[in-house]
Amino acid sequence: MSKRKTEGITEPQTRTLRAICQIFDSTGLPPTVKELAEVLGISHASAHEQITQLVRKGYVRKEAKKARSIVVIKRDD
C-alpha cells in the first residue's frame, strides 16, 4: 500500500482536516470539538489534540471564545 503525501501532517491529522472540511461544506458551519470527535470515532481529548497540531502546522486556526471556532486556512486536497 502506497502512502499518500500528507505535506507535513500525519494520516490522523489528514483525516481530521478532511472531516472538518466535509462538515463545513455540508452544513456551512465549522464543527465543534465534540461533533468532530463523534464523526471520527475518537475521544474529545484526541480530537482536541489533532486540532492543536493542525493549528501548530498552519492548516487551521481557532477563534477565541467561540464554540465553532475552527477556521480552515489550507486544505489538504
Side-chain angles (χ1 to χ4, degrees):
M1 183 167 95
S2 66
K3 283 197 165 194
R4 183 167 186 245
K5 185 178 179 185
T6 57
E7 297 181 17
I9 61 175
T10 65
E11 188 57 39
Q13 292 164 0
T14 299
R15 283 194 303 272
T16 301
L17 182 60
R18 286 183 184 153
I20 293 167
C21 292
Q22 288 172 345
I23 292 167
F24 182 79
D25 291 346
S26 66
T27 66
L29 296 169
T32 63
V33 176
K34 181 180 177 183
E35 290 169 342
L36 191 58
E38 289 172 1
V39 166
L40 293 170
I42 60 177
S43 71
H44 182 275
S46 293
H48 189 278
E49 179 59 27
Q50 293 295 330
I51 294 166
T52 299
Q53 292 302 318
L54 289 170
V55 168
R56 187 177 66 79
K57 293 179 179 184
Y59 282 82
V60 299
R61 71 173 159 49
K62 290 190 74 177
E63 296 177 357
K65 300 181 184 181
K66 288 178 70 177
R68 296 184 181 274
S69 65
I70 303 167
V71 178
V72 176
I73 298 170
K74 63 181 176 179
R75 293 180 181 231
D76 185 52
D77 293 326

